[in-house]
Amino acid sequence: MIFMNTSRPLLSDVKMRQALLQATDPYKISSQLSYPTTAVRSPLLKGQIGYNDELLQQKPNPDAVNTTLNELGWLWGEDEPYRKKDGKELTLQFVSENTTDYAAFSEEIQKQWSQYGIKTNVVLENSDDISTTSLATKDYDILMYAINIGADPDVYVYWHSSQAKPEAKPGYNFSMYSSTKADQSLEDGRSRQDESLRAVKYKSFLETWRKDVPAIGLHQPKITYTTNI
């Protein structure tokens, strides 16, 4: 997923996060891979309790990006490659892992966003070090990273506001996302045993997540296991 650090001034505005979502074509990013994937457009995976294909993240909308950014005051000057506001360029600090796949993804995202006057400074960190650097300090605007969601759809650790606090360990709320509605829904969902009731409780979380845009889903790798019987 592409996690947007909502604690940063630039990304604290939901309209800016919506503009980035509108400017992103996940299919072009996933097409960089040589292995099959499944599209991820929700904080819950297809087949999990509560997953709702009517509450997926919004699709790319190139026509709306420029309008949204203009409304936010980020304007394109004549013959200037990037938008500016109060004399400052629209620049995002983008962090990911230093692997072949992530390097290709980063380049594609950088290309997509630059079409709309958004400058992206990409930093690729060593996979062995990123957990103790950027993941720990949250010193980024954008983080592209893979998370592990098990069969149970309890994603509390990734989206509950308590997991964005400095004392939270290991602190997997990479978007520093905070929402009272989402918190309550996550708490209610994980405290129920009945699957149908859990699905009802998670609906509010999905609605709020879709509206708030704390992240952009990309893909999930398809993995085939071979066993000896």
Side-chain angles (χ1 to χ4, degrees):
M1 303 189 91
I2 298 172
F3 297 93
M4 294 183 271
N5 191 339
T6 61
S7 69
R8 300 282 227 195
L10 188 59
L11 293 169
S12 62
D13 193 325
V14 67
K15 286 187 177 181
M16 176 57 74
R17 302 196 299 272
Q18 288 172 340
L20 293 176
L21 172 62
Q22 292 164 350
T24 305
D25 185 340
Y27 293 102
K28 286 186 178 180
I29 297 168
S30 301
S31 68
Q32 308 291 317
L33 295 168
S34 59
Y35 51 84
T37 62
T38 299
V40 170
R41 303 292 181 262
S42 162
L44 299 182
L45 300 178
K46 193 170 185 178
Q48 287 185 318
I49 300 167
Y51 176 85
N52 189 330
D53 58 13
E54 295 182 359
L55 293 174
L56 305 181
Q57 71 186 24
Q58 297 175 23
K59 295 180 180 179
N61 189 348
D63 294 335
V65 182
N66 290 322
T67 300
T68 303
L69 293 176
N70 287 340
E71 289 175 352
L72 290 171
W74 292 98
L75 306 178
W76 236 336
E78 189 176 350
D79 297 326
E80 291 185 345
Y82 302 111
R83 293 172 178 271
K84 288 184 177 181
K85 183 178 180 179
D86 300 328
K88 294 182 179 180
E89 285 185 336
L90 177 49
T91 305
L92 295 168
Q93 186 75 4
F94 186 106
V95 172
S96 192
E97 292 186 78
N98 189 15
T99 68
T100 301
D101 287 345
Y102 281 119
F105 299 159
S106 301
E107 184 177 350
E108 175 60 30
I109 293 167
Q110 195 173 41
K111 177 182 176 182
Q112 290 184 21
W113 291 356
S114 68
Q115 297 177 74
Y116 303 99
I118 303 168
K119 183 178 182 180
T120 311
N121 290 334
V122 175
V123 177
L124 299 178
E125 296 191 356
N126 188 298
S127 299
D128 295 330
D129 300 331
I130 193 170
S131 62
T132 57
T133 53
S134 294
L135 299 192
T137 63
K138 309 297 189 294
D139 188 18
Y140 51 77
D141 293 315
I142 304 291
L143 171 72
M144 181 170 55
Y145 195 66
I147 59 176
N148 183 20
I149 304 177
D152 188 280
D154 184 3
V155 291
Y156 178 99
V157 70
Y158 298 117
W159 306 111
H160 195 277
S161 64
S162 66
Q163 303 305 298
K165 295 178 180 179
E167 63 270 21
K169 302 297 179 184
Y172 286 152
N173 187 337
F174 299 129
S175 295
M176 302 297 281
Y177 180 51
S178 179
S179 164
T180 302
K181 285 185 177 180
D183 283 356
Q184 189 62 59
S185 180
L186 288 168
E187 292 166 13
D188 290 345
R190 73 189 325 227
S191 63
R192 266 65 176 184
Q193 295 295 325
D194 182 82
E195 292 189 2
S196 59
L197 183 56
R198 291 186 73 189
V200 171
K201 296 298 182 183
Y202 280 136
K203 184 177 181 182
S204 178
F205 165 61
L206 294 176
E207 291 172 338
T208 305
W209 190 92
R210 185 178 190 271
K211 176 176 65 70
D212 290 344
V213 198
I216 303 171
L218 298 179
H219 57 256
Q220 173 190 15
K222 292 182 179 179
I223 301 174
T224 302
Y225 293 93
T226 304
T227 60
N228 247 342
I229 300 177

